[in-house]
Amino acid sequence: MIRIVTPENIAFSYQLASFSQRAWAYFIDMMVLGLIVMVIGCLLMVMVSYLFLPGGLAMAILLVTVFFLYWFFGAFFETVWNGQTPGKRLLGIRVLSTEGQPINSFQAFIRNIMRFADLQPFMCGGIAFAVMLCNKRFQRFGDLLCGTMVIVDENTYGRHGLVKFKHPDIFRVAEQFPPIALPSETLKALALYVHRRKAISPRRREHIAAILAVPLIERHGLPENVHFDLLLCAIYHAHFVALSGEEESGTDARPEPTPLPGGPLQV
């Protein structure tokens, strides 16, 4: 378990992926890669037999294909699938930066290039296992080099589903500001707050909502005269419910109409 504190002073705990989970994910990726190579090899054989493709050229195409697939397969999927390869997705694990941010294409490329060194000696992963045991984030050498770690993907949004509101004030507040780009850890904190807010007392809710809302107001110029709880619900609606295209029905997570410190609720 690793704990990360975001710039908004929100703490997250991530369950680190075990060596066996990562090894099985790699094995699945190699099986997928092998299947792709087999299909391409069969197509080339057909082309050699029926389309008169020179055998030497077919072998060269196959070798080049294997080279690029081996070195860029993982980097490609980790870039387009937000830190996951087919094996990682099947095993429910994901690559993140050590700050809890999604990895970029450069990090994905470097950590996959360095896998060849981590798999030594004799491609059994001895170096990776030894290095992972020597650091608290369970990082192999490639992870240490590019600042990444592998965690168990909680899939927070998918597991809990969307909270859909009925309160009209939420819709009006959501329309007052344009869509804002928020980092994944902030969205995760927002989703956790909305899903758990009904179990929190109004007084405690006001304090918790302020921790997340105040930095967002300062950084994105959001309305300052709106109750923090109402503002967070409006941001959640704009990012998840409205963008999903679903109708507004279901759970009614109506905010308490408590006035802001220093002024009444204005929407």
Side-chain angles (χ1 to χ4, degrees), residues 86-211:
K88 288 184 176 70
R89 177 166 289 192
L90 189 62
L91 269 293
I93 60 179
R94 182 185 303 276
V95 184
L96 291 178
S97 73
T98 51
E99 291 79 26
Q101 298 277 1
I103 64 172
N104 55 43
S105 57
F106 178 77
Q107 289 173 307
F109 176 75
I110 294 298
R111 72 182 306 275
N112 280 278
I113 288 294
M114 294 307 302
R115 179 177 284 113
F116 181 78
D118 283 312
L119 287 174
Q120 304 307 315
F122 312 115
M123 304 300 287
C124 67
I127 290 180
F129 185 68
V131 174
M132 289 166 71
L133 291 178
C134 295
N135 65 87
K136 64 179 182 179
R137 292 190 178 95
F138 217 43
Q139 298 162 287
R140 60 179 175 85
F141 182 66
D143 291 317
L144 290 171
L145 189 63
C146 58
T148 58
M149 61 183 181
V150 183
I151 57 100
V152 176
D153 185 20
E154 295 181 359
N155 194 20
T156 303
Y157 316 136
R159 184 177 68 246
H160 296 293
L162 291 177
V163 174
K164 288 167 282 184
F165 305 101
K166 295 180 180 179
H167 198 308
D169 289 347
I170 294 177
F171 310 141
R172 289 198 293 268
V173 173
E175 294 172 355
Q176 288 185 11
F177 51 86
I180 55 178
L182 298 176
S184 61
E185 70 272 11
T186 302
L187 292 175
K188 181 178 180 181
L190 180 64
L192 287 173
Y193 170 78
V194 170
H195 280 98
R196 298 177 181 178
R197 60 183 294 281
K198 295 189 73 175
I200 305 171
S201 66
R203 185 182 297 272
R204 180 62 176 165
R205 188 187 304 170
E206 179 182 346
H207 173 71
I208 295 174
I211 296 175

Side-chain angles (χ1 to χ4, degrees), residues 22-31 70 115 119 123:
R22 297 174 68 168
W24 276 109
Y26 177 72
F27 175 76
I28 293 171
D29 288 337
M30 290 300 99
M31 293 291 289
Y70 181 80
R115 179 177 284 113
L119 287 174
M123 304 300 287

Side-chain angles (χ1 to χ4, degrees), residues 193-253:
Y193 170 78
V194 170
H195 280 98
R196 298 177 181 178
R197 60 183 294 281
K198 295 189 73 175
I200 305 171
S201 66
R203 185 182 297 272
R204 180 62 176 165
R205 188 187 304 170
E206 179 182 346
H207 173 71
I208 295 174
I211 296 175
L212 183 58
V214 170
L216 292 177
I217 291 172
E218 295 175 349
R219 294 183 183 186
H220 301 283
L222 301 180
E224 298 182 0
N225 58 345
V226 178
H227 189 278
F228 296 141
D229 179 54
L230 178 61
L231 180 64
L232 293 185
C233 290
I235 296 174
Y236 177 93
H237 170 79
H239 271 272
F240 297 109
V241 182
L243 291 180
S244 72
E246 297 187 20
E247 296 181 357
E248 312 308 326
S249 60
T251 304
D252 182 6

